[in-house]
Amino acid sequence: MQIELLEIHDHLSRHPPFDTLPESALQQLAQQAQVSYHKAGSPLLELGQPLNELYYIRSGAVETYKRNGDLHNRLGEGDVFGQAALLGRHKVRFAARAIEDCLLYCLPGALIEALCEEHDSLAEFLEAEGQSRLKSAVENQGQASQLMQIRLRKLLSREPVSVAPDCPVQEAAQVMVEHSVSSLLVVQEQANQPPAMLGILTDRDFRSRVLAAGLPPSTPVSAVMSAEPISLQADASVFDGMLCMLRHNIHHLPVMQRQQPLGVINLADILRYESRSSLYLVNNIFNLQSVEELQRLVPDLQATFLRMVNDQATAQMIGQAMSSIGRAFCQRLLELAEQRLGPPPVPYCFMVAGSMARDEQLLVTDQDNALVLDDRFDSALHDEYFAELARLVCNGLAACGYAYCKGGIMASNRQWRQPLHVWQGYFRQWIEHPEPRALLNSCIFFDLDAVYGQHELAAQLQEQLAEQASRTPHFLASMARNALNRTPPLGFFRTFVMEKDGRQKNIINLKGRGTAPLTDLIRVHALACGSTAQNSLARLEALAQAQWLQPQVLEQLRYAFEFLSLVRIRHQARALEAGQPPDNYIEPEHISAHERHNLKEAFQVISHAQKFLRFRYPSVPMRGL
Amino acid sequence: MNLHPGKLGWPAFYALQARTCRNPALRAYYQAGCPAAELAIGAAPLLALDVETTGLDAQRDAIVSLGLIPFDLQRIRCSEARYWVVNPQRELPERSVTIHRITHSQIHQAPPFAAIAEELLEALRGRLVVVHYRTIERLFLHKAVRQALGESLSLPMIDTMQLEASLQRRQHPPGWLDRLFGRRPVSVRLADSRRRYNLPAYQAHHALSDALACAELLQAQIAHHYSPHTPLRQLWY
């Protein structure tokens, strides 16, 4: 007869990793468990002692210690310990002591090992300090999202309609009517080679470039087309297509097989897949005529966010979409401001800093922006214009939910509304003299991206930064030290956040203690290797290309970043759904056991990476000392 | 009915029974002997036992299930746990069905106690029995074994309820005020006793769960109030 120790079986079945195991495995565990009681204060495991069991805490609390005596972990009901030894050399790696009266279930190592062979979920959970658990947590995300799975090729319904570059615009218009399409590709036939795509012409171009400009019907299309149009390869995902259209605010996207156009995707093709997509929202943004109208889109922005979360989009996808929407708001506000103030007296570039520049924006966000002006800028003559432009945009952004930056990092602040040479001076100064104030600015402005106007102005700053920063060890050392200011907690214990010194708190700022320290340390490595990438995952990619860090380390950082971002995103989505203002403060009691384990692992990744940072960019004496 | 050896002492009583018992299973049980009264609890092979019955009157009621689990002060060994449902060979009162969650059909399919008596004695052999409230286990086992094998079973027991009662009396002796107002001493029921040692709440009235609960309670009581060197004579009855 089957002996049922229901008390043991049922408790195991409610806690990870055992909650993922089938009934037969749970029965084996419950049957082979040994139970033991330990009074508060009793030592449980001594460092180095042979060990062939996994310990499961049925009730009470246990602390584990590192070799140097530092607290390693504090564990409560449903937690396990001893796995480091079990999967290693069968010797205790972390000494353990009961800090409350404890009832432990001791599970035989041979059984655990056998079950690990059969059940990946158990093996991954127990693998000591690996990234495997994070990896699976992150990789499951995004799989379900249709947008990621469907290739652009699938959306193409017809061959591309094209004309030669010397085709007159009237004839081109007739071709479009005949085929009832809203865009044409301009293609050059070549002898013995596939035809080359030279440009694209859309309905809108006919309106703005032909009719409004009063050009004759005989004008060749090559004179009015958009040359070298932005395009994507056919195996890119629908999501990539959506992002690309979002980013460049285009409604027609040629889809290529290598050099050859296969067809054109238009906005409607994607909207058919995603009626409430961010693309739809961005399209709306550009059709609105005032700040008041734009303001009314804020609920749509939140709906788009929720929709993506519910569709299991990855954090990277959501960050990119939210940033693109933010950029669209900036761009539209600038267009409206220019309509009101007239054309700018000298060229300028409106830049964003921080999360929007990194394409990592979520819902709770301040505006961080600046203006870089052409060097012909004369303050006495031109600043009135740009001050007003900045005021309109910053106020508009604030009205649309992008709160004023508390630190004053806004184009409306004269300090951050300067010609290129002044900016170049700022950057040089910050890099050469990394004082605390300068470091603060570096952390903000060294994530920088052009949003509107002359993108080259911002690009020059990015290149200057990439070049100078990598050659200045004492700057890197200062940035590295600065990146250690914010540290992750040790983990969780019951409904508390556990600090490294053993203190307990009941709330955690997952941005300040999680994603921000990660972003900071990734930025230091990226600057050191001379990358101009802004997005954290793109920076990791650049670090991989440059072989700057070990591939496993990069992978761990990537999973940790994606996972921490996802937890923040889900938290904000839950707040929205409950009708509460979203924030970054998470109470551990609202985190599932699985999420806690993964979070703890992500915190460990940050901790290790911070230690490495200190070692990799050591303090160096200042020049001249 | 001879439930306790009195002045004779348990080891001598076992030796006597080993010589005089006619039933081979009982004789084998007694021949395995009884631990010496001076043996330290930490060295004693223990076995937690719980029986569930149709009621509390040993004359009228009978055993419906038994659970046992071998242990020592370090470990409770679930892999050696045993559990039997037995047919009490009388109508089961509705109330006891709800308490034990054992259904009538389970009872009808179950063997009579006589069919498992030898297996039970084999499991008890060489181990000191630990129970919570020894009167029930003693009376019912005594009667059931006598009916099944024609001879009686008397055995020493550690009673975690008795231990808890004396610990509580020692720690919180009732004052004259308590006596004046007829205040009852703290509860020494299994669940209440366990709570005092921060042991988790279990589903009560399942013979195997209760046996496990009792084994854990003894480990806790020894850890808090005695030591592994405490001799059995201070603990058993």
Side-chain angles (χ1 to χ4, degrees):
Chain A
M1 189 178 64
Q2 193 73 30
I3 308 263
E4 278 187 290
L5 270 164
L6 277 177
E7 295 294 348
I8 299 176
H9 171 285
D10 289 358
H11 201 267
L12 287 172
S13 74
R14 288 197 304 271
H15 292 86
F18 307 105
D19 57 350
T20 59
L21 294 182
E23 187 52 35
S24 59
L26 284 171
Q27 280 177 7
Q28 278 179 289
L29 284 166
Q31 279 165 31
Q32 296 193 33
Q34 297 197 347
V35 182
S36 71
Y37 179 90
H38 301 270
K39 199 167 82 165
S42 358
L44 300 174
L45 296 176
E46 306 280 357
L47 193 68
Q49 116 188 25
L51 184 79
N52 225 331
E53 288 178 316
L54 181 69
Y55 298 92
Y56 175 90
I57 303 174
R58 171 60 180 82
S59 65
V62 170
E63 276 183 356
T64 55
Y65 305 92
K66 297 180 195 171
R67 196 168 295 275
N68 64 6
D70 282 356
L71 183 61
H72 169 254
N73 210 346
R74 186 175 297 163
L75 303 159
E77 181 174 336
D79 288 330
V80 294
F81 62 99
Q83 65 269 45
L86 201 56
L87 301 171
R89 282 168 300 139
H90 294 268
K91 285 199 172 151
V92 171
R93 276 188 52 195
F94 303 107
R97 190 166 62 90
I99 56 168
E100 292 174 5
D101 292 339
C102 280
L103 192 65
L104 303 179
Y105 295 160
C106 317
L107 308 170
L111 175 60
I112 294 290
E113 278 165 29
L115 290 176
C116 278
E117 292 293 315
E118 284 172 57
H119 307 286
D120 289 345
S121 59
L122 182 64
E124 280 167 13
F125 187 95
L126 295 177
E127 238 154 65
E129 267 126 66
Q131 78 281 26
S132 53
R133 215 191 299 166
L134 273 182
K135 179 176 171 178
S136 56
V138 165
E139 284 185 345
N140 290 336
Q141 192 77 12
Q143 296 294 320
S145 180
Q146 264 206 333
L147 288 178
M148 283 299 268
Q149 284 178 339
I150 301 170
R151 306 286 139 207
L152 284 179
R153 185 195 307 277
K154 292 276 273 188
L155 265 58
L156 294 173
S157 51
R158 59 153 81 220
E159 299 276 296
V161 179
S162 60
V163 293
D166 56 358
C167 174
V169 288
Q170 183 169 36
E171 202 179 303
Q174 285 159 356
V175 171
M176 287 173 76
V177 172
E178 191 187 320
H179 290 91
S180 60
V181 290
S182 58
S183 68
L184 272 183
L185 294 184
V186 180
V187 166
Q188 179 81 68
E189 297 293 337
Q190 305 176 100
N192 306 326
Q193 272 185 53
M197 181 174 71
L198 299 182
I200 189 169
L201 196 65
T202 69
D203 270 349
R204 197 195 263 192
D205 299 332
F206 275 98
R207 191 172 69 221
S208 56
R209 296 184 196 161
V210 181
L211 292 173
L215 294 182
S218 59
T219 311
V221 289
S222 57
V224 292
M225 69 182 185
S226 308
E228 294 174 36
I230 290 152
S231 64
L232 280 181
Q233 291 293 311
D235 57 358
S237 70
V238 172
F239 180 75
D240 292 330
M242 184 172 108
L243 264 188
C244 181
M245 292 167 95
L246 271 175
R247 209 176 166 82
H248 303 287
N249 187 30
I250 51 176
H251 292 187
H252 298 86
L253 182 68
V255 175
M256 316 289 283
Q257 179 81 48
R258 301 237 171 77
Q259 302 299 314
Q260 203 182 342
L262 291 184
V264 177
I265 302 274
N266 66 36
L267 193 60
D269 293 325
I270 289 185
L271 292 189
R272 243 183 294 140
Y273 271 88
E274 277 284 288
S275 61
R276 268 196 303 164
S277 78
S278 35
L279 196 51
Y280 185 73
L281 182 60
V282 166
N283 192 38
N284 261 344
I285 289 174
F286 284 100
N287 288 329
L288 299 179
Q289 299 303 323
S290 68
V291 172
E292 292 69 34
E293 286 180 12
L294 285 171
Q295 210 174 351
R296 273 181 239 131
L297 287 182
V298 173
D300 293 6
L301 173 80
Q302 297 180 342
T304 301
F305 177 83
L306 274 184
R307 168 77 188 264
M308 291 192 82
V309 176
N310 292 334
D311 280 356
Q312 306 235 303
T314 62
Q316 173 82 342
M317 288 164 80
I318 294 172
Q320 285 175 326
M322 290 296 116
S323 303
S324 296
I325 293 168
R327 283 163 197 267
F329 272 109
C330 295
Q331 288 161 352
R332 185 58 186 156
L333 286 165
L334 283 155
E335 283 176 1
L336 291 173
E338 282 192 16
Q339 275 174 23
R340 189 152 143 196
L341 303 175
V346 294
Y348 71 95
C349 176
F350 186 85
M351 312 184 290
V352 291
S355 63
M356 201 190 285
R358 291 194 310 272
D359 271 340
E360 291 163 12
Q361 194 153 61
L362 302 186
L363 279 186
V364 188
T365 186
D366 286 0
Q367 47 175 302
D368 289 320
N369 52 55
L371 276 174
V372 52
L373 310 163
D374 187 279
D375 275 336
R376 282 165 290 176
F377 170 80
D378 177 338
S379 175
L381 292 176
H382 308 138
D383 195 50
E384 200 185 330
Y385 178 93
F386 289 110
E388 185 57 14
L389 183 87
R391 196 183 64 80
L392 287 172
V393 175
C394 294
N395 290 350
L397 284 171
C400 295
Y402 299 88
Y404 292 115
C405 172
K406 287 177 210 79
I409 309 290
M410 291 182 290
S412 54
N413 183 343
R414 181 191 288 263
Q415 194 185 356
W416 310 128
R417 186 175 70 239
Q418 294 290 337
L420 180 62
H421 71 268
V422 174
W423 276 104
Q424 286 170 330
Y426 286 167
F427 275 36
R428 201 178 314 115
Q429 173 75 16
W430 296 340
I431 292 171
E432 285 172 9
H433 304 282
E435 284 114 29
R437 181 78 220 163
L439 279 171
L440 201 63
N441 290 329
S442 300
C443 287
I444 296 164
F445 284 108
F446 292 178
D447 299 335
L448 190 75
D449 209 16
V451 161
Y452 189 83
Q454 297 283 322
H455 287 219
E456 298 79 15
L457 291 169
Q460 289 194 41
L461 286 174
Q462 287 175 345
E463 274 157 34
Q464 177 193 352
L465 171 63
E467 208 219 25
Q468 283 182 0
S470 59
R471 286 193 283 108
T472 317
H474 72 266
F475 166 74
L476 293 172
S478 302
M479 284 290 277
R481 269 203 311 281
N482 198 58
L484 303 176
N485 285 344
R486 291 185 284 192
T487 54
L490 187 61
F492 300 96
F493 174 66
R494 293 190 179 141
T495 58
F496 299 103
V497 180
M498 270 273 300
E499 297 297 343
K500 290 190 175 120
D501 59 6
R503 277 179 307 144
Q504 297 178 180
K505 293 178 181 160
N506 42 26
I507 203 156
I508 178 175
N509 177 349
L510 209 53
K511 183 183 177 190
R513 307 292 303 281
T515 47
L518 251 183
T519 313
D520 285 349
L521 71 90
I522 292 171
R523 182 188 304 110
V524 178
H525 288 301
L527 289 174
C529 94
S531 160
T532 55
Q534 307 290 316
N535 177 260
S536 295
L537 297 192
R539 281 173 168 166
L540 290 175
E541 187 54 38
L543 291 168
Q545 297 270 326
Q547 301 188 337
W548 198 260
L549 295 176
Q550 294 280 322
Q552 310 91 289
V553 172
L554 290 166
E555 193 170 62
Q556 284 183 356
L557 291 173
R558 183 156 72 83
Y559 291 132
F561 185 72
E562 177 72 20
F563 183 76
L564 288 166
S565 306
L566 268 178
V567 176
R568 272 177 73 197
I569 286 169
R570 290 191 199 129
H571 171 73
Q572 296 190 351
R574 275 195 298 271
L576 270 189
E577 281 171 336
Q580 286 156 0
D583 60 30
N584 290 311
Y585 289 90
I586 295 189
E587 291 166 4
E589 59 184 308
H590 296 141
I591 309 177
S592 74
H594 274 281
E595 261 184 354
R596 281 173 191 222
H597 284 287
N598 291 336
L599 276 175
K600 182 176 157 60
E601 208 163 289
F603 293 148
Q604 269 170 354
V605 169
I606 302 177
S607 251
H608 290 159
Q610 287 187 330
K611 267 182 218 142
F612 179 71
L613 206 62
R614 201 189 298 269
F615 155 83
R616 182 70 179 73
Y617 306 103
S619 296
V620 286
M622 297 277 283
R623 264 174 296 171
L625 290 179
Chain B
M1 190 163 55
N2 191 10
L3 288 177
H4 199 280
K7 287 204 182 92
L8 184 58
W10 285 112
F13 172 78
Y14 268 52
L16 178 65
Q17 293 295 101
R19 284 196 306 276
T20 56
C21 266
R22 288 177 305 275
N23 179 281
L26 260 179
R27 199 166 57 236
Y29 169 78
Y30 283 121
Q31 274 168 352
C34 162
E38 292 308 315
L39 185 70
I41 179 74
L46 306 170
L47 178 129
L49 172 72
D50 183 72
V51 301
E52 297 293 321
T53 58
T54 57
L56 296 177
D57 182 349
Q59 293 313 308
R60 267 208 332 263
D61 295 307
I63 296 175
V64 288
S65 65
L66 303 94
L68 59 83
I69 188 162
F71 74 112
D72 54 35
L73 288 192
Q74 276 78 46
R75 294 299 173 85
I76 301 165
R77 292 188 294 279
C78 301
S79 59
E80 297 167 43
R82 305 294 305 268
Y83 176 70
W84 297 275
V85 174
V86 294
N87 190 334
Q89 296 176 306
R90 68 200 63 204
E91 260 328 293
L92 208 56
E94 278 309 317
R95 201 181 55 84
S96 86
V97 175
T98 50
I99 289 180
H100 305 121
R101 266 165 274 199
I102 295 170
T103 62
H104 285 104
S105 73
Q106 276 176 291
I107 297 278
H108 288 311
Q109 286 162 18
F113 180 85
I116 64 124
E118 294 187 3
E119 256 185 289
L120 173 67
L121 286 171
E122 197 182 314
L124 297 180
R125 202 183 290 168
R127 301 182 175 283
L128 177 57
V129 168
V130 180
V131 298
H132 194 78
Y133 191 40
R134 65 186 183 281
T135 311
I136 290 284
E137 271 74 13
R138 243 186 201 151
L139 288 175
F140 278 86
L141 271 185
H142 190 271
K143 183 182 151 208
V145 171
R146 173 170 283 282
Q147 279 177 355
L149 306 179
E151 286 174 292
S152 64
L153 172 69
S154 296
L155 67 177
M157 289 181 175
I158 291 180
D159 182 352
T160 51
M161 186 168 103
Q162 180 70 51
L163 290 182
E164 193 60 17
S166 42
L167 286 167
Q168 290 308 316
R169 255 200 316 278
R170 204 161 67 199
Q171 288 186 328
H172 312 285
W176 62 271
L177 251 177
D178 297 310
R179 281 198 294 269
L180 184 65
F181 288 105
R183 276 188 202 139
R184 289 154 60 129
V186 286
S187 165
V188 289
R189 292 167 54 161
L190 184 54
D192 298 318
S193 303
R194 284 170 59 84
R195 204 170 303 124
R196 248 169 251 132
Y197 299 91
N198 299 306
L199 282 165
Y202 281 175
Q203 173 203 328
H205 301 300
H206 181 284
L208 189 51
S209 284
D210 280 355
L212 176 63
C214 174
E216 291 169 1
L217 178 59
L218 183 71
Q219 282 192 340
Q221 288 170 326
I222 302 292
H224 283 265
H225 303 294
Y226 298 91
S227 99
H229 309 297
T230 306
L232 292 181
R233 67 179 154 73
Q234 287 184 26
L235 301 165
W236 74 14
Y237 295 92

